[in-house]
Amino acid sequence: MGKSKTTKFKRPQFNSVGLPVNAVKEADGAEEELDEESCPAAELLEKLQSPSADIREFACASISRVVQQSQTIPGFLQRDAVRRLGPMLLDGSVAVRETATGALRNLSACGGQEVCEDMVRHDIMTPLTALLRECCTGFDTAAVAMKDQSNPVEGVAIEAVNLLWNLCESSSQAVSLFNKCGLLDMVVHCLERHPHNVELSTSAAHCLHTVTEDNPELLRSMNAAVLEALEKVLLSSQPGMAHVLLRTLAAGTLWNMKASLPAARQAQTLNAVVATLSQCLDLDAGVLIPELRRAEEAYHRNTAAVAEAEQAEVAVEPAEEEMDEENTPMKKKNGKTMKVDTDFSDLLPRGKEELREATALLTAQQTSLEIIVNMCCSDDPSDDEWEEESSSDESDLGPDVLCDGLSSLMSPLCLSAEVQGALINHSIPEKVLKKTSFPREEATNVCQENPSWRSLSRRMQRVQSRALTCLHSILSTMDAESLGGEVALQGAAQHLSSLVFGAEEIPEDEEFLEAVISAMRSLLQIIASENISQCMTPQQLMSLSEAATRCDVVSVRVNAVAILGITGSTLAKEKGMVETLQMIGNALLQVATRDSDLVVNGEALDALFDVFADGEEAEMAAKNLNLLPALKALQPVFKAKIRKEGRGKYSPQQLCVLDNIKINLRRFIGYLEKVVKK
């Protein structure tokens, strides 16, 4: 990519049962894993050719389940599964269409980028486009025919839109075909179903949020109908976490499309977008998740009592009876009986509804924080590059890079007074700071008690990390006065200090460390620039630096030495700080000498220049530290390392910075030589 930049955050994928892929894997963890030899790929793919719709549906449903065990995927791909499943999208049976699309959806979600690109190469977009077109024309007619029942066409559309979303996340070619094939209007049509089917609308909103990023070609084709559909969603007021997520995604899509908004409506739309994000962040997951879990437990108790009562009146032919409760062991769907535990493709089936609501809440809050980060981005690339650890479905080549896209999309609002004003008016900085707290113990315990809910613990931690990253962005783009002045900044410093130093040991989770240390660096920079006293002691910052040096993430180590540099340069102006400056200088010298990464070496040297640049305290500490001979010994090693490793391992921008540091090192040695002669 040529340069380090702030990338967009990647969103979690959902498989065909409507739950996160990892949650399904965890919930099904007790099942026996399949190895390649036992993979029934050949037999199942053969059944796709059966003249019986029942057998074709069974084969597709079985493939959908089996491919969730990722080790089975090569067996299906080697047998040309994509080409053989493709025609099933337009099968004469609606049930076969739905299960076939669900199978391809799971294959794309569990197979990752390479599988998605292979699917696009095998022209899966052609039948998928035809299927979506038929779904859109069939929405209204099916609704008339089935007023009091679930709409089977919408069930197919849910699977189709999610498959399209996965493909566009992972393949730039899929995005290009999306632009050319008129898919925008179809997905917007699915979005407009939100009063009747929030699951379909949310899938469509996820897809739109993806395809509108860094896609000027699509933005040129935007029309008033698209904007109106998104604004209707944004201004809707239906209760429930699923609708909160839907509105959040609509807000993110409108932000992506801001260059297409009429100038007269930009301010109004911006305010609505920020208000939506603010309302989402107002929700307290620490309170709501235990409430949702208790509601699920109460439902299960009631269901068990009803089941006991009904057991005394067992039907003569129970295998063919359609039971009243959707969460009973068996149910009928499209005329076929199947286990609830293996099929959640109906809209929010009981027994998993509360889990879906909890998942939607955390996804909405994570997405809201990511949108705010993107709103705070500048036209210049940042030093940090962020990628979602757990996502395996997104491409590094598709609509991933945010800042470059913004600069090329005529973004009149980026870093503008309007954006900052909207964020401040809706108390976004304060709400973001609140979200940086550790998840409530009650919510964490509730999730750990149940295997199906266990994955939410990691999601809560990710919301915290995203909030810390968001705080870093806010601190980097707003001035001290806008952030509430000295009192607010000192309060933020005390809060971050409690997160890092509140436990006996500094947390070692890499995602948390990367986020908290970047926020701390930004905060200390603004505190130092405003001459505000800080609450973190040099000893605490030294312990943070030591923890960071053990981290494999380069940006963590870079920010750690930068923090030492900021602290040292501030302390150098005070009296009686010689020993502390020696301690900081020694730590920076160790990093400059021993770290394996040239960028970290360079940052440590740069920090040394700042700490020991001026002042009697700094001069005395430099002499006591024998800084001059140490840097003279390091100079040829640093130059040789740049020559040896630089060209193949580092970007041109990084090499330019390293060359400047090399020049500054020579000048700084000259300065120290004059100091010694005094």
Side-chain angles (χ1 to χ4, degrees):
M1 294 162 100
K3 58 185 176 181
S4 178
K5 50 179 68 88
T6 302
T7 60
K8 79 175 179 71
F9 286 100
K10 300 179 179 180
R11 292 165 297 282
Q13 290 293 331
F14 290 79
N15 63 16
S16 66
V17 299
L19 294 173
V21 173
N22 59 346
V24 172
K25 287 180 180 176
E26 193 163 355
D28 297 338
E31 296 181 10
E32 193 174 293
E33 291 189 357
L34 300 169
D35 56 33
E36 279 194 43
E37 292 183 5
S38 64
C39 175
E43 180 184 354
L44 291 174
L45 291 171
E46 190 64 33
K47 290 183 187 296
L48 296 178
Q49 307 306 316
S50 171
S52 167
D54 289 355
I55 294 176
R56 295 197 303 276
E57 181 189 358
F58 168 80
C60 291
S62 299
I63 292 170
S64 180
R65 184 164 185 80
V66 170
V67 296
Q68 290 185 46
Q69 305 292 337
S70 58
Q71 67 269 31
T72 67
I73 290 176
F76 282 94
L77 296 180
Q78 290 162 10
R79 292 169 176 84
D80 214 7
V82 176
R83 184 185 60 81
R84 297 167 78 172
L85 279 167
M88 300 292 102
L89 300 188
L90 300 172
D91 192 275
S93 163
V94 174
V96 173
R97 290 185 178 198
E98 182 172 353
T99 51
T101 314
L104 286 167
R105 175 186 175 185
N106 270 9
L107 191 61
S108 67
C110 300
Q113 178 184 339
E114 188 176 342
V115 170
C116 288
E117 291 181 340
D118 185 64
M119 293 171 97
V120 175
R121 281 194 296 270
H122 281 81
D123 197 28
I124 197 64
M125 292 290 285
T126 296
L128 180 57
T129 301
L131 174 62
L132 275 169
R133 186 174 287 111
E134 288 192 20
C135 286
C136 290
T137 57
F139 284 154
D140 297 329
T141 54
V144 170
M146 307 181 68
K147 280 187 178 179
D148 299 321
Q149 303 174 43
S150 61
N151 187 332
V153 176
E154 289 185 347
V156 178
I158 289 170
E159 302 298 341
V161 172
N162 276 281
L163 173 57
L164 178 63
W165 170 32
N166 287 350
L167 296 175
C168 290
E169 284 271 12
S170 298
S171 168
S172 57
Q173 182 61 25
V175 175
S176 178
L177 290 169
F178 184 100
N179 296 344
K180 295 172 183 175
C181 296
L183 281 161
L184 175 63
D185 290 338
M186 299 180 208
V187 176
V188 170
H189 196 174
C190 294
L191 178 73
E192 291 173 327
R193 307 295 294 174
H194 67 92
H196 316 289
N197 192 328
V198 68
E199 185 178 4
L200 174 59
S201 297
T202 302
S203 299
H206 272 297
C207 189
L208 289 171
H209 194 203
T210 294
V211 297
T212 53
E213 289 183 305
D214 192 24
N215 192 352
E217 181 184 352
L218 183 66
L219 294 189
R220 285 193 292 270
S221 67
M222 290 295 171
N223 53 56
V226 175
L227 296 175
E228 183 181 352
L230 286 163
E231 288 176 349
K232 279 185 178 178
V233 171
L234 199 66
L235 299 175
S236 64
S237 58
Q238 287 97 327
M241 300 303 114
H243 285 281
V244 170
L245 174 57
L246 176 63
R247 288 190 285 270
T248 301
L249 292 166
T253 303
L254 281 167
W255 174 256
N256 292 341
M257 293 167 49
K258 62 188 176 296
S260 300
L261 295 173
R265 293 172 61 182
Q266 283 191 351
Q268 180 183 359
T269 302
L270 170 63
N271 189 66
V273 165
V274 177
T276 299
L277 304 180
S278 176
Q279 290 162 11
C280 178
L281 295 179
D282 280 334
L283 298 171
D284 190 342
V287 172
L288 291 171
I289 286 176
E291 287 180 358
L292 287 166
R293 176 65 184 135
R294 286 193 291 270
E296 183 183 72
E297 290 173 337
Y299 172 76
H300 286 319
R301 285 194 299 271
N302 294 337
T303 302
V306 171
E308 268 184 50
E310 289 179 346
Q311 206 164 15
E313 304 173 7
V314 178
V316 178
E317 298 181 31
E320 295 186 12
E321 179 180 286
E322 182 171 0
M323 305 176 78
D324 291 333
E325 293 288 339
E326 288 184 328
N327 193 44
T328 48
M330 305 292 286
K331 73 171 183 179
K332 286 192 176 183
K333 179 182 179 187
N334 297 325
K336 308 301 173 189
T337 305
M338 51 184 71
K339 293 181 181 179
V340 171
D341 285 344
T342 61
D343 186 351
F344 297 111
S345 55
D346 282 348
L347 175 61
L348 294 177
R350 290 298 317 187
K352 293 293 179 183
E353 182 175 346
E354 292 81 8
L355 177 56
R356 286 176 180 239
E357 286 279 281
T359 302
L361 166 62
L362 295 175
T363 303
Q365 294 196 331
Q366 178 181 328
T367 304
S368 293
L369 292 163
E370 292 167 0
I371 293 167
I372 296 167
V373 170
N374 294 343
M375 294 175 83
C376 290
C377 81
S378 65
D379 290 341
D380 296 323
S382 166
D383 291 335
D384 299 322
E385 182 166 344
W386 288 86
E387 292 181 2
E388 172 60 58
E389 285 181 353
S390 64
S391 175
S392 60
D393 288 358
E394 287 97 351
S395 167
D396 286 331
L397 300 176
D400 278 346
V401 178
L402 177 75
C403 286
D404 281 359
L406 283 176
S407 60
S408 66
L409 291 181
M410 189 189 70
S411 50
L413 299 177
C414 192
L415 278 181
S416 68
E418 289 84 357
V419 172
Q420 292 195 30
L423 295 175
I424 292 168
N425 289 341
H426 289 280
S427 304
I428 293 297
E430 294 88 343
K431 293 177 182 182
V432 168
L433 183 64
K434 191 173 181 180
K435 291 299 176 189
T436 63
S437 299
F438 286 112
R440 288 196 186 189
E441 187 176 358
E442 182 188 4
T444 303
N445 291 342
V446 158
C447 293
Q448 291 300 323
E449 289 167 2
N450 186 286
S452 296
W453 287 65
R454 202 165 287 157
S455 65
L456 295 189
S457 294
R458 185 59 183 162
R459 284 178 174 273
M460 286 188 285
Q461 292 169 358
R462 181 153 291 122
V463 168
Q464 181 194 26
S465 294
R466 289 296 181 269
L468 286 163
T469 304
C470 191
L471 180 63
H472 157 69
S473 297
I474 289 171
L475 291 168
S476 300
T477 55
M478 293 187 186
D479 57 37
E481 186 179 350
S482 299
L483 294 166
E486 181 175 344
V487 174
L489 291 170
Q490 284 184 328
Q494 289 171 348
H495 175 70
L496 290 183
S497 178
S498 69
L499 292 181
V500 178
F501 307 114
E504 291 183 7
E505 295 184 1
I506 292 175
E508 295 187 356
D509 177 78
E510 288 185 353
E511 188 175 8
F512 172 80
L513 258 184
E514 187 171 17
V516 75
I517 207 166
S518 66
M520 195 172 286
R521 175 181 179 174
S522 297
L523 181 58
L524 290 176
Q525 280 177 329
I526 196 168
I527 282 177
S529 68
E530 296 293 322
N531 294 318
I532 298 171
S533 59
Q534 56 165 290
C535 63
M536 286 171 272
T537 67
Q539 288 73 21
Q540 285 179 323
L541 294 174
M542 286 297 299
S543 66
L544 176 62
S545 177
E546 289 170 8
T549 57
R550 298 192 294 270
C551 182
D552 291 334
V553 180
V554 170
S555 66
V556 170
R557 306 202 300 276
V558 166
N559 282 327
V561 295
I563 284 173
L564 288 181
I566 295 165
T567 304
S569 61
T570 301
L571 294 176
K573 300 170 185 175
E574 302 177 12
K575 296 294 184 183
M577 290 294 170
V578 173
E579 288 187 12
T580 303
L581 293 176
Q582 284 179 224
M583 179 177 65
I584 291 174
N586 184 60
L588 291 172
L589 200 54
Q590 294 297 318
V591 174
T593 306
R594 297 180 181 178
D595 198 282
S596 60
D597 193 281
L598 261 174
V599 172
V600 183
N601 300 148
E603 186 72 38
L605 286 171
D606 206 37
L608 279 168
F609 305 157
D610 289 339
V611 174
F612 297 96
D614 192 27
E616 292 181 6
E617 299 283 311
E619 290 177 5
M620 193 178 302
K623 289 177 182 178
N624 295 345
L625 190 60
N626 292 318
L627 187 59
L628 177 59
L631 291 180
K632 280 186 173 180
L634 176 59
Q635 185 179 27
V637 176
F638 184 65
K639 290 170 66 176
K641 197 173 179 181
I642 292 176
R643 281 197 306 269
K644 184 178 179 182
E645 300 178 11
R647 300 301 168 192
K649 192 174 177 182
Y650 301 96
S651 70
Q653 287 76 13
Q654 289 172 324
L655 288 174
C656 182
V657 172
L658 289 168
D659 282 337
N660 284 334
I661 292 171
K662 180 177 67 176
I663 293 168
N664 289 337
L665 176 58
R666 175 170 52 81
R667 292 173 177 170
F668 189 69
I669 287 173
Y671 162 74
L672 288 178
E673 287 174 337
K674 293 178 182 177
V675 169
V676 170
K677 291 176 183 178
K678 281 186 179 179

